[in-house]
Amino acid sequence: FYGWVFPKYDHVGVGTGTVVNRPAIKQYQKAIRDRAGEKIAGGKIIKVEAHPIPEHYRPRRVNGRMALVGDAAGYVTKCSGEGIYFAAKSGRMAAEAIVKLMEGGKRLPTQEEIERTYIADYDKLYGPTYTVLDILQKVFYSNNGAREAFVELCNSKYVQQVTFDSYLYKKVQGNNPLDDLKLLGETIGCLIKGYSIAKPDAEFSNPVESMKRL
């Protein structure tokens, strides 16, 4: 779940995103509007729209001489739902690889060559980031107990620094063995505490399908 209130030039964008329980999106929308309260008091809804967020790599990102980038390739990151940077970066990497393969317009690249350059280079550069965020989403976004643990962990200065650096540089940061070991212990403790104090998850209409999307 993710909620936002974005001020624009002549209106305010109020929205929510969810991985699970898509039929309840209207309920989530109302909740975020209620929470915004006086900030949007007196306003009227001028447009309602929704879009799927592609959080999974596409099974085939190159077909012949056609290469997918950005959302089309499924490059939105889990946990944060960020996609703009990776869309721009993948587009540039694909273009540069193809231009180089064309050797100044003398030849056309093959699918195998594009996969060996653009795809391999992108996965080497950002694959670990997607893997870590995928694990984090599966561990901490699955139920209320795990979400409580995640909130508790965010009090850690080390977690805040690693999160900020990872978001800034678009790669997993940290790599301090001692602090990482301490973080593992804190994570286990927070999960135990989170499960002990969290309210039971509300029932929703598509639990099996939703868990598969995490």
Side-chain angles (χ1 to χ4, degrees):
F1 171 81
Y2 175 55
W4 63 86
V5 179
F6 293 152
K8 304 294 183 70
Y9 173 69
D10 59 355
H11 66 283
V12 177
V14 181
T16 56
T18 182
V19 178
V20 300
N21 200 17
R22 285 182 294 181
I25 193 68
K26 291 182 179 179
Q27 174 186 337
Y28 301 150
Q29 285 277 0
K30 182 181 183 305
I32 200 70
R33 288 197 298 269
D34 290 345
R35 183 164 183 171
E38 295 182 358
K39 296 179 181 179
I40 58 173
K44 65 178 181 179
I45 299 175
I46 57 177
K47 182 170 66 172
V48 178
E49 57 185 358
H51 307 281
I53 300 176
E55 287 187 329
H56 300 275
Y57 277 13
R58 292 294 177 262
R60 178 181 295 180
R61 288 172 282 164
V62 180
N63 187 9
R65 294 194 301 273
M66 178 182 69
L68 300 180
V69 300
D71 284 11
Y75 287 158
V76 174
T77 57
K78 294 194 175 182
C79 287
S80 67
E82 183 185 3
I84 295 176
Y85 173 85
F86 296 100
K89 184 67 173 181
S90 60
R92 180 168 186 168
M93 290 180 68
E96 290 176 344
I98 292 170
V99 167
K100 186 176 181 179
L101 288 168
M102 291 179 67
E103 299 176 359
K106 297 177 182 178
R107 60 187 298 275
L108 292 175
T110 66
Q111 176 175 327
E112 182 182 358
E113 288 174 328
I114 298 173
E115 290 174 338
R116 192 173 65 243
T117 53
Y118 154 54
I119 297 296
D121 291 346
Y122 187 88
D123 289 349
K124 181 179 180 181
L125 192 60
Y126 297 112
T129 299
Y130 286 96
T131 299
V132 169
L133 292 176
D134 185 21
I135 293 171
L136 287 176
Q137 181 160 295
K138 284 181 168 63
V139 171
F140 291 112
Y141 285 30
S142 57
N143 55 64
N144 282 342
R147 287 185 282 271
E148 290 286 354
F150 188 64
V151 172
E152 180 79 15
L153 272 177
C154 289
N155 288 324
S156 164
K157 293 293 184 182
Y158 181 63
V159 170
Q160 294 172 17
Q161 187 64 55
V162 169
T163 301
F164 179 82
D165 290 344
S166 298
Y167 190 83
L168 181 64
Y169 298 110
K170 310 305 178 187
K171 295 181 183 179
V172 178
Q173 304 294 309
N175 303 319
N176 183 318
L178 181 59
D179 285 335
D180 289 342
L181 187 60
K182 290 169 58 179
L183 179 58
L184 175 61
E186 291 175 2
T187 301
I188 295 173
C190 287
L191 284 170
I192 293 172
K193 180 180 178 181
Y195 278 101
S196 68
I197 66 174
K199 296 179 179 179
D201 284 12
E203 293 185 7
F204 51 90
S205 60
N206 57 346
V208 175
E209 177 196 354
S210 294
M211 290 301 108
K212 287 181 180 178
R213 290 201 302 272
L214 274 177

